[in-house]
Amino acid sequence: MADIIDRGDGTPVALCGHSYGGMVIAGVADRLGDRLDQLVFIDAYVPDDGDSCWSLTSDSFWELFIAGARADGRRVAVPEGLDPRARPHPLASFVQSIRLEDNPGCALKRTFISGGAWRGSPFVTLTERLRNDPGRRVHEIPVGHNIARRDPHSLAAVLGALSSDPA
């Protein structure tokens, strides 16, 4: 990802991460934040230093991860109903803590797009906390976790508005 950003033409870059992808974009921003414009967490984990997906998730997702790894103990099977292109996820990545230096010079715009209060969502409490954070913008597209698949037009509209928003 760093190579792609480095090869860019200097145009502001927004990183978007869905679900576990929030862990990824937080790590990238911590290291390359001076080359980014904004982070967009799409019904995603929003970690602080030392957090893991496991520490941030809900009881129902712990059960889902454990049940999904029963076959080989290493990979979490794709839950029923997700995008057919999805592949098993390494269980170890869910429990690995992220190390963030929290670069104070990194003043990125940060947006959270919620899929709403879907059953078992680990993001409901997070959404409410972020609504009260003046450094975050929160949008809701209440279609469940897989926003890009269930309502791509609304997601594209929110992302398009973010790209033209100077705040």
Side-chain angles (χ1 to χ4, degrees):
M1 194 174 296
D3 288 343
I4 293 169
I5 293 169
D6 285 341
R7 287 187 303 221
D9 61 2
T11 302
V13 174
L15 288 184
C16 300
H18 172 253
S19 197
Y20 179 84
M23 304 294 290
V24 176
I25 67 170
V28 171
D30 190 64
R31 283 141 187 90
L32 303 176
D34 58 333
R35 294 179 245 170
L36 303 174
D37 180 54
Q38 62 184 301
L39 297 179
V40 182
F41 295 85
I42 304 170
D43 218 41
Y45 297 99
V46 180
D48 290 321
D49 181 53
D51 284 337
S52 68
C53 177
W54 189 266
S55 72
L56 295 173
T57 203
S58 62
D59 292 350
S60 62
F61 267 56
W62 289 337
E63 292 170 12
L64 184 72
F65 296 161
I66 292 167
R70 283 200 174 106
D72 67 8
R74 296 180 301 120
R75 295 172 298 185
V76 176
V78 177
E80 187 115 354
L82 286 188
D83 189 310
R85 296 169 293 181
R87 297 294 172 257
H89 194 102
L91 179 61
S93 67
F94 288 140
V95 298
Q96 181 179 21
S97 295
I98 191 167
R99 292 291 161 229
L100 302 173
E101 294 178 15
D102 197 25
N103 182 351
C106 180
L108 294 172
K109 293 179 266 184
R110 296 173 190 265
T111 299
F112 186 83
I113 301 174
S114 169
W118 47 273
R119 185 173 173 234
S121 172
F123 308 116
V124 174
T125 303
L126 171 65
T127 301
E128 292 312 310
R129 180 174 56 84
L130 295 178
R131 280 189 207 286
N132 296 316
D133 181 340
R136 307 268 183 170
R137 295 176 283 191
V138 175
H139 298 271
E140 191 158 340
I141 303 174
V143 296
H145 188 53
N146 202 346
I147 298 169
R149 186 171 175 92
R150 291 194 174 163
D151 195 348
H153 299 293
S154 292
L155 179 59
V158 170
L159 294 174
L162 293 176
S163 68
S164 62
D165 183 5

